[in-house]
Amino acid sequence: MALPLIWLGGAALGAMLVADERSKQKQLTVDRRLGRAPKAPDQQQASPLSPSLWHLGEVKVAPKPGSIVCCFVFGVIEHTGIWLGEDTLLELHGSGLIRPISSARFLAGRSGSRIFQACDHQHQPLIADKILIRAEQAIYQYRDYDLFDNNCHRFVWSCVSGEELPVSSFAKLNRLLGQYFKQAIYWDELQRVK
C-alpha cells in the first residue's frame, strides 16, 4: 500500500523540479533578451544556460564553422565536438579516432535529437582564433581515449587553446571556456541542418 504513495510522491517531486527548471530557463531567457543576463562567468557557474532536456528553444542559432557543439548521451553526460561546416562536425570517438561526421551521426545512438552550440549572451557563437586549423590537423588521428582523462572535452579544449590538459567533465570544460573567452557560456540549440 505504501509503494503507490511513494511513487506518487516521487512523481510530484519530479514535476516540481521540472517546473522549477523551466521557470529558471524562462527567466534567464527574458533577462538575456533585456541585456540583464550574466555576461561574465562567476565563481559558481560559468554556463548560465547549459544544454538541457527541458531547454525552451525560443532562439535557435545557425551553426558556424569553428563553433563548439554538444549533445546529450543518454541524458546523463554531454558529448562535445567542433562544427566544421556543411552538416559536418569533428568528434573524438570512443575508439580514439578523431573523425568528421554528420550531425545525424553525431546524435545517432545518443539520447535526444538536439545539438547545442556555445554562444555569448547575444546568441553569437564563440569561436577561438585557431580552432579550425587545429581541428582540421587532427582529422583521422588517434588518441588513447579515456573517459575521464583523454575524452571529447579534452580534445575540444586542445582545439580551442592548443593546450593538452585533463578535462574530466563538461562542467570543467565550461569553466575553461568561460575563462578563455572571458564571458559566460550559453548553450543555444542549433537550427535544423538541411
Side-chain angles (χ1 to χ4, degrees):
M1 190 67 150
L3 195 55
L5 291 175
I6 292 172
W7 287 341
L8 285 173
L13 181 62
M16 286 185 342
L17 290 173
V18 169
D20 183 53
E21 178 65 23
R22 284 188 177 157
S23 174
K24 287 178 185 175
Q25 296 277 336
K26 191 171 190 169
Q27 185 60 50
L28 180 62
T29 300
V30 169
D31 289 347
R32 197 172 171 190
R33 200 175 293 139
L34 297 173
R36 293 189 308 230
K39 295 176 182 80
D42 64 15
Q43 298 289 12
Q44 306 300 317
Q45 189 175 20
S47 179
L49 183 61
S50 296
S52 171
L53 296 174
W54 305 296
H55 191 281
L56 298 173
E58 290 180 9
V59 175
K60 294 186 178 165
V61 294
K64 301 279 184 183
S67 63
I68 303 158
V69 295
C70 76
C71 70
F72 280 107
V73 180
F74 307 116
V76 178
I77 61 173
E78 294 84 1
H79 179 54
T80 53
I82 308 293
W83 190 267
L84 298 176
E86 298 184 25
D87 193 31
T88 304
L89 54 96
L90 195 61
E91 73 167 3
L92 171 61
H93 185 261
S95 67
L97 177 64
I98 298 167
R99 63 186 190 168
I101 56 173
S102 70
S103 58
R105 181 66 196 99
F106 188 66
L107 292 169
R110 300 186 172 115
S111 61
S113 58
R114 297 180 286 177
I115 298 175
F116 298 88
Q117 178 173 257
C119 293
D120 65 13
H121 69 284
Q122 295 177 319
H123 306 285
Q124 297 303 308
L126 297 170
I127 301 173
D129 288 337
K130 296 182 181 178
I131 192 168
L132 272 176
I133 293 167
R134 290 184 187 114
E136 289 170 353
Q137 289 172 345
I139 293 175
Y140 297 121
Q141 292 182 10
Y142 276 92
R143 287 178 167 238
D144 188 18
Y145 183 85
D146 180 82
L147 183 61
F148 298 105
D149 293 327
N150 201 2
N151 54 24
C152 60
H153 309 316
R154 179 178 181 154
F155 167 67
V156 166
W157 178 248
S158 72
C159 290
V160 169
S161 68
E163 295 177 313
E164 283 293 339
L165 54 101
V167 183
S168 56
S169 68
F170 185 69
K172 183 171 182 180
L173 177 63
N174 274 309
R175 284 191 300 277
L176 289 169
L177 292 173
Q179 292 167 0
Y180 181 87
F181 290 109
K182 295 178 177 50
Q183 59 184 290
I185 308 300
Y186 293 84
W187 291 92
D188 288 327
E189 185 178 346
L190 283 186
Q191 296 171 348
R192 291 266 183 224
V193 179
K194 297 172 185 160

